[in-house]
Amino acid sequence: MQTQSIWEHTLTFFPQFLATLREHATPDSTVTVIGASDGKFVLPLASAGYRVIAIERDPIALHGGEVHLPGDRTGHSMGLIERLELEGLNNRVQVVEEDFLVSEPLGTPCDAVWTSCSWHYSANHHRPLGEFVNHMQRLVRPGGLFGAEFMMPIGQRHHMLEHYTSPERLRRYFIGDWDVLLTLRTNEFTERAHVGQLQDHTHRMGLLLAARASTPS
């Protein structure tokens, strides 16, 4: 790719999702990315031949703008829309500039949903975690794939918030028509400072991949 996401160097389980997607979907399937940001996951999916619906409400992530960088610096961040144009991927991506919890941006369910660390931001703590998961599940067609990576609790403050969850706790939302395919978790690790977290910081991360049954149980 000619362009690079400002989140390029943050740890992700996305390769595991992509490998599972290849097993469960056809090359021209539609994948919805919730919290698309500047396209860290959108562009690789589109480049791989998938049709992508990118849902994002942050105007800087979509249209670009000035951001605070580590080292008390500022810089210009290229937005998703500009990156798609420069990479020639516009025709494969539908950008939806909305809060997916407030409206129903899709007419019909898609083949797969992917989200990365979208529900643990403090601005989302007034909404129950189950509401996020339920809305995301509703976007997946029967036989489709759901993938989410998320921050796990470390300190006492995080343990008091359900939004810093674990694969085990998330499983309770995936009963009935869902089959959990894979869960992963990291030990504590230190990540380098980046946009939105301007100091080096300690994380734990989890992954849950689940398939929706082709017919209701």
Side-chain angles (χ1 to χ4, degrees):
M1 287 187 182
Q2 305 174 62
T3 64
Q4 191 174 64
S5 168
I6 59 172
W7 304 99
E8 198 68 35
H9 301 295
T10 55
L11 184 144
T12 179
F13 288 115
F14 180 70
Q16 284 83 359
F17 170 76
L18 196 57
T20 306
L21 182 64
R22 293 191 184 105
E23 296 174 358
H24 284 77
T26 59
D28 62 344
S29 294
T30 298
V31 182
T32 295
V33 178
I34 300 172
S37 189
D38 67 352
K40 176 177 179 177
F41 310 112
V42 172
L43 272 70
L45 286 166
S47 296
Y50 298 104
R51 296 188 296 271
V52 184
I53 300 171
I55 303 177
E56 176 59 62
R57 67 180 183 180
D58 179 13
I60 291 180
L62 290 175
H63 306 285
E66 187 176 275
V67 294
H68 293 288
L69 300 171
D72 197 26
R73 298 175 294 125
T74 59
H76 178 81
S77 172
M78 188 181 299
L80 171 61
I81 293 173
E82 184 179 1
R83 292 191 68 210
L84 290 172
E85 291 175 353
L86 291 173
E87 301 287 354
L89 295 170
N90 311 57
N91 63 336
R92 302 209 62 84
V93 179
Q94 174 189 349
V95 177
V96 179
E97 191 170 358
E98 293 181 10
D99 181 343
F100 90 107
L101 286 179
V102 173
S103 61
E104 295 291 345
L106 306 181
T108 57
C110 61
D111 300 292
V113 162
W114 170 253
T115 191
S116 173
C117 303
S118 61
W119 56 56
H120 71 272
Y121 289 104
S122 57
N124 291 327
H125 290 173
H126 67 292
R127 310 290 283 270
L129 174 60
E131 187 175 354
F132 287 89
V133 177
N134 178 259
H135 272 67
M136 293 177 187
Q137 289 173 328
R138 285 159 52 188
L139 299 182
V140 181
R141 66 163 178 80
L145 180 68
F146 176 100
E149 61 182 9
F150 42 88
M151 296 299 178
M152 295 176 59
I154 298 177
Q156 183 61 32
R157 176 176 67 89
H158 293 154
H159 281 282
M160 296 174 64
L161 293 169
E162 65 170 348
H163 301 78
Y164 290 85
T165 186
S166 68
E168 294 76 19
R169 291 175 182 172
L170 271 185
R171 274 182 176 272
R172 67 190 175 109
Y173 299 106
F174 293 86
I175 56 177
D177 295 342
W178 291 91
D179 177 26
V180 175
L181 304 174
L182 176 67
T183 61
L184 295 173
R185 58 196 299 153
T186 69
N187 295 322
E188 292 186 12
F189 67 96
T190 299
E191 191 163 65
R192 289 184 298 168
H194 55 72
V195 171
Q197 190 64 268
L198 300 179
Q199 304 294 329
D200 291 356
H201 46 286
T202 302
H203 281 327
R204 288 196 301 162
M205 286 186 65
L207 169 76
L208 185 142
L209 299 180
R212 190 171 187 178
S214 298
T215 55
S217 59

